[in-house]
Amino acid sequence: MEAAARTSNTATDPLSLKQALEQAARLLDKQPEAALRRAEAILKQAQGLPAAELLACQALRRMGKTKAALTRVSALARSQSRVPAVIWEWALAASEAGAGKQAIAALESLTRQQPAVADGWFLLARELRKAGLKDEAWRADLSGVHASSRDPQLLEAAMAMNEGRLDEGEAILKGRLQRVPGDPAGHRLLGEINWRRGDMTAALALVERALQLAPGFDLARDFLVRLLLQTNRLPEALEHAETLASSPLKSPGHALLKASVLVRLGDQRRARAIYEKLLKQQPDQPQVWQNLGHVLKTLGEQADAIDAYRQAVARQPAMGEAWWSLANLKTVQLGAEDIAAIERALALLEPDAANRREDIFHLHFSLGKAFEDAGDYAASFRHYDLGNRLRRAMVLHDADGFSAEVAAAAGTFTSAFLSEMGAGGCPAPDPIFIVGLPRSGSTLVEQILASHGQVEGTMELPEMMMLASRLQSRVDEGEFPDFRAMVSSLSPQDRLRLGEEYIERTRVHRHTAKPLFVDKMPNNWQHVGLIRLILPNAKIVDARRHPLSCCLSGWKQHFARGQAFTYDLADIGRYYRDYVGLMAAHDRAAPGAVHRVIYENMVADTETEIRRLLDYLSLPFERACLEFYNNGRAVRTASSEQVRKPIFTDAVGHWKNYEPWLGPLVEALGPVLGAYPEVPETRD
């Protein structure tokens, strides 16, 4: 009796009662049965005590007795409707018991009371999604993301990331995700840290996890689309872009992102429809006018492309890329009024030159083309030179390192090495690789082949470069001592798998039943050896143009991305020499495996050169190849307008207009220049 009295007195004493509740709560996670017994004991002494009743409900749910838990907690919620912990437990119990309506009611009450608590919104979104209420669920996810944006810990991690303290930001987020493993915002932010480090695999996994947790997390889906574009996973990117475009929170940015994916997929017409719709809704959008111009140019609708670019610069006179896009239309000549407008734009940008370098170099390239059209080659060269110097300072190109890589490839893929490697690779004969330098006539060769009934033209595909980069990373990360050792390690099965991967990854760009397709990525000259190992039946066409014509044309051309070697005459001359040397090594290792098209020969005797090319490909001659300019396919390169006309000879000796200033290029080319179109015995 005395013991019972002591228990009763202890249970009703406020301090002891608090201690008893705390002790029971500590048992919840690992010993819920014990926690329930203690809660029931407290309730016997303090009947109806809300804290003890909540503890009992929590214990029952953890024991898997969700229906019993729900019955008790829903009754408790009627009397404790302003206590967030009770409403949260009601929501959890209802969710686990499959009582969706109760869970939604509980969570709607909770989020009204505590709108800054993200977890409530995310759980509400999941319940709404289960109930088929898609838009409401999406909005709940968005509210959860908004609430997360105010979280002090996430703000601290974001600040560390933006200041370059990636390790610190990662530590904060990993600690948080251990405590809150279902945090979508934490996963997305950690994904961005991994992306900034260059770990694309980890970044993708984390951002995908964020979207599993919160499918309505638009910012995460936007980021995922961009990651997928970077890794060339285009069908997945389109799927997510289409999902994003259906968000209840409408944004023109979602439509623009979808259009950019469509452009990458080669679906220019659908992209055009998106741009035109956006401009119909709001015409004062220079960036959208510019994007529309790019699509129209690719589709061959030159007059409309010109109008679109002019609409862009009319709305934003210092928009350098739009001016360059207009100047870069080979069928357009900029007049005196245009030159004056571009010069005014340069003067306008001068006070903020450090922050507007991209616009400025585009404007200099534009003036280079304008003065070229006017026949003032000294002024033209001066502006091309200014644009190139500015652009060269913004890109990385290690000429010595690149030459060493080329030498390693030449020393690896010898006839003896190829013999040692033996048979292997994917036997598919589908790809025709057109390789060489930019501005070498490769687009002309592609257009000729794409006019054949058995050949589909695609675009400059990055897949082979990505495969090669992945293999090179195994050397860079120390798995192999050098390039040759890595390539030697590839078994016939490895080579089969790599070849099949290339065929599968490029399938998305093939829209017809034609048996062959063209991959016109010029930089693939660096990977001819790899191509022959993993796709032994693929054909390789080397498009070559006079070194001064080719290099000068590349130097005058600002490329949207890549081609960092083109912004210095000495760099591009050295690159051309490396290219000639490696292709000569491949010729020695396997004579006839690569077919060479000399641009000047193609211009001088087109039919003969086309017949030679088709013979190499084992294809019958078709007259449509001679009339390639009638092919209405989309062309995305800088030569898109030229290949819609019959072959002309004007460009063959165009370099002579700039001859007084080409000393650095001539010196860099060395003996390769004098020997063209043959190859010198030595390149030194």
Side-chain angles (χ1 to χ4, degrees):
M1 289 292 293
E2 290 177 1
R6 284 197 300 273
T7 301
S8 177
N9 291 338
T10 300
T12 55
D13 177 74
L15 182 60
S16 300
L17 186 60
K18 180 182 178 183
Q19 291 173 337
L21 287 166
E22 289 174 349
Q23 290 171 357
R26 283 196 289 270
L27 297 170
L28 269 176
D29 289 333
K30 294 184 178 180
Q31 300 180 58
E33 297 87 351
L36 178 61
R37 288 195 297 272
R38 293 205 180 196
E40 299 289 18
I42 294 169
L43 285 168
K44 285 182 181 178
Q45 303 302 322
Q47 190 173 7
L49 182 67
E53 184 63 20
L54 175 60
L55 194 61
C57 296
Q58 292 171 322
L60 284 166
R61 181 172 61 81
R62 282 166 170 77
M63 292 165 61
K65 298 181 178 182
T66 51
K67 290 186 177 180
L70 179 58
T71 299
R72 290 179 68 167
V73 75
S74 58
L76 179 63
R78 285 193 286 273
S79 64
Q80 303 292 318
S81 61
R82 304 298 299 172
V83 180
V86 172
I87 306 304
W88 177 249
E89 185 58 33
W90 178 28
L92 291 175
S95 176
E96 292 180 18
K101 289 185 179 179
Q102 283 197 60
I104 291 170
L107 290 161
E108 287 177 339
S109 173
L110 182 67
T111 52
R112 281 194 298 270
Q113 293 179 48
Q114 294 187 313
V117 177
D119 288 349
W121 289 110
F122 291 132
L123 183 55
L124 175 58
R126 288 195 284 275
E127 291 302 320
L128 289 167
R129 201 164 277 110
K130 287 179 190 175
L133 301 171
K134 179 184 174 183
D135 281 0
E136 291 88 338
W138 206 315
R139 292 182 185 279
D141 274 334
L142 291 170
S143 295
V145 172
H146 180 67
S148 295
S149 69
R150 304 174 186 176
D151 185 284
Q153 206 170 41
L154 291 175
L155 289 171
E156 184 183 1
M159 185 177 297
M161 177 186 73
N162 290 327
E163 292 176 355
R165 295 178 282 116
L166 301 185
D167 289 346
E168 185 177 335
E170 180 183 45
I172 294 168
L173 292 169
K174 284 188 171 179
R176 176 184 175 84
L177 290 174
Q178 284 183 346
R179 297 187 299 275
V180 192
D183 177 25
H187 279 86
R188 195 216 71 83
L189 193 53
L190 188 55
E192 183 171 350
I193 286 176
N194 278 274
W195 170 71
R196 293 190 183 206
R197 281 202 176 115
D199 189 345
M200 193 66 76
T201 301
L204 282 164
L206 285 159
V207 179
E208 286 169 344
R209 178 58 180 155
L211 284 167
Q212 290 170 0
L213 294 165
F217 193 168
D218 285 356
L219 287 174
R221 197 173 298 277
D222 181 290
F223 187 35
L224 179 60
V225 172
R226 297 175 194 279
L227 293 177
L228 292 168
L229 284 173
Q230 287 181 31
T231 51
N232 212 43
R233 289 163 57 179
L234 302 182
E236 294 168 77
L238 181 59
E239 181 181 345
H240 285 287
E242 288 177 333
T243 299
L244 191 60
S246 67
S247 170
L249 190 65
K250 299 302 178 186
S251 168
H254 296 163
L256 285 171
L257 186 60
K258 179 180 175 181
S260 70
V261 178
L262 290 169
V263 166
R264 287 280 298 275
L265 281 164
D267 195 341
Q268 312 292 334
R269 287 176 174 78
R270 285 177 66 193
R272 173 186 182 172
I274 291 173
Y275 294 139
E276 289 178 338
K277 181 179 179 181
L278 289 171
L279 290 168
K280 186 175 181 180
Q281 294 168 349
Q282 187 179 342
D284 193 21
Q285 298 184 80
Q287 184 67 51
V288 182
W289 279 112
Q290 177 180 279
N291 292 353
L292 177 60
H294 294 340
V295 166
L296 292 167
K297 170 194 168 184
T298 301
L299 291 170
E301 299 185 25
Q302 301 304 314
D304 289 339
I306 292 167
D307 178 66
Y309 290 138
R310 290 204 176 277
Q311 292 281 358
V313 297
R315 289 166 169 79
Q316 190 173 323
M319 192 174 189
E321 186 182 345
W323 274 114
W324 168 243
S325 299
L326 183 63
N328 195 38
L329 288 168
K330 308 305 179 186
T331 55
V332 170
Q333 291 193 355
L334 299 182
E337 290 184 8
D338 294 316
I339 290 173
I342 297 170
E343 289 175 336
R344 286 195 300 271
L346 279 171
L348 181 69
L349 295 177
E350 187 175 352
D352 193 26
N355 297 316
R356 301 295 297 274
R357 292 185 299 170
E358 189 163 328
D359 282 314
I360 291 170
F361 73 66
H362 274 116
L363 292 172
H364 279 302
F365 273 98
S366 303
L367 284 174
K369 175 62 162 54
F371 282 113
E372 180 179 357
D373 292 339
D376 187 345
Y377 297 109
S380 171
F381 185 88
R382 183 172 68 254
H383 282 288
Y384 278 134
D385 189 49
L386 286 168
N388 273 293
R389 287 179 185 274
L390 185 55
R391 183 65 175 133
R392 181 65 180 89
M394 298 168 65
V395 299
L396 294 175
H397 175 62
D398 178 1
D400 290 338
F402 182 77
S403 293
E405 290 177 11
V406 171
T412 296
F413 295 104
T414 62
S415 57
F417 176 82
L418 293 173
S419 178
E420 289 170 12
M421 293 295 288
C426 173
D430 306 26
I432 302 170
F433 292 91
I434 301 178
V435 305
L437 264 71
R439 314 296 295 137
S440 64
S442 56
T443 302
L444 172 61
V445 176
E446 177 196 34
Q447 188 78 343
I448 289 168
L449 290 178
S451 301
H452 195 283
Q454 296 185 45
V455 182
E456 179 173 6
T458 57
M459 61 182 75
E460 295 180 357
L461 305 179
E463 278 77 12
M464 186 57 63
M465 294 180 67
M466 293 174 70
L467 287 175
S469 178
R470 195 171 79 209
L471 292 173
Q472 179 61 40
S473 70
R474 300 174 68 183
V475 179
D476 298 339
E477 293 168 5
E479 184 180 349
F480 295 97
D482 54 36
F483 177 77
R484 184 185 179 94
M486 180 274 295
V487 176
S488 299
S489 75
L490 298 175
S491 68
Q493 292 74 23
D494 292 333
R495 291 154 55 192
L496 171 63
R497 187 170 60 252
L498 287 167
E500 288 176 340
E501 181 180 346
Y502 171 86
I503 295 295
E504 187 58 35
R505 287 174 69 95
T506 54
R507 199 174 302 282
V508 67
H509 300 288
R510 301 175 67 177
H511 306 294
T512 71
K514 294 181 179 182
L516 306 177
F517 73 97
V518 175
D519 179 341
K520 200 194 76 70
M521 177 59 75
N523 308 67
N524 279 333
W525 67 265
Q526 302 165 39
H527 310 303
V528 167
L530 177 64
I531 291 170
R532 297 199 60 234
L533 285 182
I534 70 174
L535 291 161
N537 294 323
K539 298 294 186 179
I540 302 169
V541 178
D542 175 14
R544 188 169 299 184
R545 183 181 175 193
H546 188 282
L548 290 180
S549 293
C550 185
C551 294
L552 177 64
S553 185
W555 181 78
K556 293 191 302 171
Q557 179 74 44
H558 176 259
F559 296 92
R561 56 184 173 271
Q563 317 302 13
F565 61 90
T566 62
Y567 301 109
D568 180 274
L569 287 172
D571 282 348
I572 197 170
R574 185 168 174 180
Y575 186 93
Y576 191 102
R577 283 176 65 184
D578 286 334
Y579 147 71
V580 168
L582 182 57
M583 296 308 293
H586 287 306
D587 288 344
R588 290 191 297 271
V594 175
H595 178 80
R596 188 154 295 113
V597 174
I598 302 298
Y599 176 76
E600 293 78 17
N601 293 347
M602 179 67 79
V603 170
D605 190 353
T606 306
E607 182 170 345
T608 297
E609 290 303 312
I610 289 176
R611 287 182 179 276
R612 285 184 62 247
L613 174 60
L614 295 177
D615 285 346
Y616 163 73
L617 299 172
S618 301
L619 291 174
F621 177 78
E622 292 184 4
R623 191 134 202 101
C625 294
L626 273 174
E627 300 171 354
F628 59 87
Y629 43 85
N630 292 323
N631 189 334
R633 59 180 286 270
V635 181
R636 292 182 59 185
T637 67
S639 304
S640 59
E641 306 88 60
Q642 292 165 305
V643 297
R644 300 187 195 282
K645 296 183 176 182
I647 286 179
F648 62 99
T649 61
D650 299 8
V652 171
H654 185 67
W655 61 269
K656 294 178 182 177
N657 296 319
Y658 295 89
E659 191 170 10
W661 306 285
L662 299 184
L665 174 58
V666 170
E667 183 178 354
L669 286 167
V672 166
L673 176 58
Y676 182 81
E678 302 303 323
V679 177
E681 292 184 10
T682 174
R683 293 180 298 129
D684 299 326

